[in-house]
């Protein structure tokens, strides 16, 4: 992995790259912070390969897990305040930190760019419509160099061949894992599966 040093333009955040990194360092545990840095670098690699906006890839990579360490009560308050689907209350941080976490990114980091906010919102459960940036963050989170699970090498190879095939691979693996372990499947995960995985003819 090449280490990218990125200068921000001021279009998407008032913070400099180093200020945003510092903010995340203060907000996250050490291991989560290090994961976030690896996701950023992987997202920038993918953005370069696929011709996406490198600055947005960097920002979205850095902030994708911004809400990971928040207490459940913060999420429950926001779910009620914004009248989000009450179905969400049956889940926990694993689902909330992305599906709801983007609201904290917007309100507390002042990031308003919809591509970045959608990439954060969709990074765990995906979405039927994911643009290039959302696909990049979804995949960078899955294949960053600190990940070690059966199939990760294949996931990396596929993602560098085709972003959409990478999305299909991860979505299939995640659903398989949830079903095999009798874990609850968030409905959006199934919607994402149907949009990206089946071969249709
Ligand atoms: P991380 O935040 O970097 O650890 O990675 P993610 O945000 O991608 O995923 C967080 C966790 O959510 C992972 O352990 C996934 O397996 C889990 N997850 C993804 N989709 C679902 C779902 O539909 N239901 C449940 N229960 N967990 C899910
Ligand atoms: Fe996450
Ligand atoms: Fe992550």
């Amino acid at each position: 992995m090449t280490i990218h040093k990125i200068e921000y333009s001021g279009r998407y955040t008032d913070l400099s790259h180093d200020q945003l990194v510092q903010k995340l360092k203060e907000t996250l545990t050490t291991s989560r912070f290090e994961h976030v840095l690896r996701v950023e670098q992987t997202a920038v690699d993918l953005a370069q390969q696929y011709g996406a906006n490198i600055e947005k890839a960097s920002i979205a990579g850095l902030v994708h897990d911004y809400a990971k360490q928040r207490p459940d009560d913060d999420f429950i308050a926001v779910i009620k305040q914004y009248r989000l689907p009450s179905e969400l209350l049956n889940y926990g941080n694993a689902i909330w930190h992305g599906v709801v976490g983007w609201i904290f990114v917007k309100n507390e980091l002042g990031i308003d760019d919809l591509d970045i906010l959608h990439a954060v919102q969709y990074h765990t459960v995906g979405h039927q419509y994911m643009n290039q940036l959302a696909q990049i963050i979804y995949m960078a989170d899955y294949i960053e160099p600190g990940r070690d699970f059966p199939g990760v090498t294949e996931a990396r190879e596929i993602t560098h061949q085709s972003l959409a095939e990478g999305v299909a691979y991860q979505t299939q693996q995640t659903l398989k894992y949830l079903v095999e372990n009798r874990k609850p499947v968030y409905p959006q995960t199934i919607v994402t599966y149907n949009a990206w995985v089946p071969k249709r003819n």
Side-chain angles (χ1 to χ4, degrees):
M1 189 176 65
T2 333
I3 302 290
H4 305 279
K5 195 84 182 78
I6 293 132
E7 281 270 1
Y8 289 169
S9 66
R11 279 189 200 103
Y12 313 114
T13 169
D14 294 337
L15 302 178
S16 69
H17 181 268
D18 289 357
Q19 285 172 326
L20 185 55
V21 167
Q22 191 53 38
K23 179 103 194 152
L24 290 155
K25 191 174 184 170
E26 289 160 10
T27 307
L28 302 172
T29 63
T30 305
S31 62
R32 182 59 52 179
F33 172 67
E34 288 169 357
H35 159 72
V36 152
L37 294 182
R38 292 190 299 268
V39 172
E40 183 217 1
Q41 294 296 317
T42 306
V44 170
D45 277 345
L46 289 170
Q48 272 174 346
Q49 181 186 341
Y50 287 107
N53 184 314
I54 286 165
E55 186 175 351
K56 290 195 196 194
S58 164
I59 296 169
L62 287 175
V63 304
H64 82 282
D65 278 340
Y66 175 72
K68 192 79 180 191
Q69 252 99 48
R70 294 194 87 104
D72 288 358
D73 286 348
D74 286 17
F75 288 105
I76 292 164
V78 164
I79 290 165
K80 292 184 171 161
Q81 184 192 343
Y82 288 81
R83 299 171 193 267
L84 302 181
S86 54
E87 166 75 4
L88 275 166
L89 296 171
N90 300 328
Y91 293 83
N93 182 281
I95 299 299
W96 295 339
H97 80 281
V99 172
V100 182
W102 68 273
I103 295 175
F104 297 112
V105 171
K106 180 170 164 48
N107 291 349
E108 296 172 13
L109 299 179
I111 293 170
D112 292 322
D113 182 84
L114 284 178
D115 293 333
I116 296 172
L117 295 176
H118 282 143
V120 175
Q121 185 178 5
Y122 303 155
H123 88 266
T124 308
V125 300
H127 193 267
Q128 55 273 46
Y129 304 118
M130 283 193 282
N131 67 15
Q132 200 179 37
L133 185 71
Q135 293 176 51
I136 284 172
I137 299 304
Y138 186 73
M139 293 320 302
D141 191 26
Y142 194 63
I143 66 169
E144 60 94 343
R147 295 291 195 200
D148 184 16
F149 53 82
V152 72
T153 305
E154 196 182 352
R156 289 182 181 122
E157 286 166 3
I158 293 169
T159 305
H160 286 287
Q161 292 294 317
S162 158
L163 212 40
E165 284 298 327
V167 171
Y169 183 86
Q170 175 180 176
T171 302
Q172 182 179 14
Q173 294 304 311
T174 299
L175 187 57
K176 198 188 285 181
Y177 161 82
L178 294 169
V179 169
E180 280 172 358
N181 292 280
R182 293 183 67 170
K183 297 211 180 263
V185 180
Y186 186 61
Q188 179 60 50
T189 301
I190 299 176
V191 174
T192 303
Y193 173 88
N194 276 326
W196 290 87
V197 184
K199 293 183 180 150
R200 306 188 199 265
N201 43 29

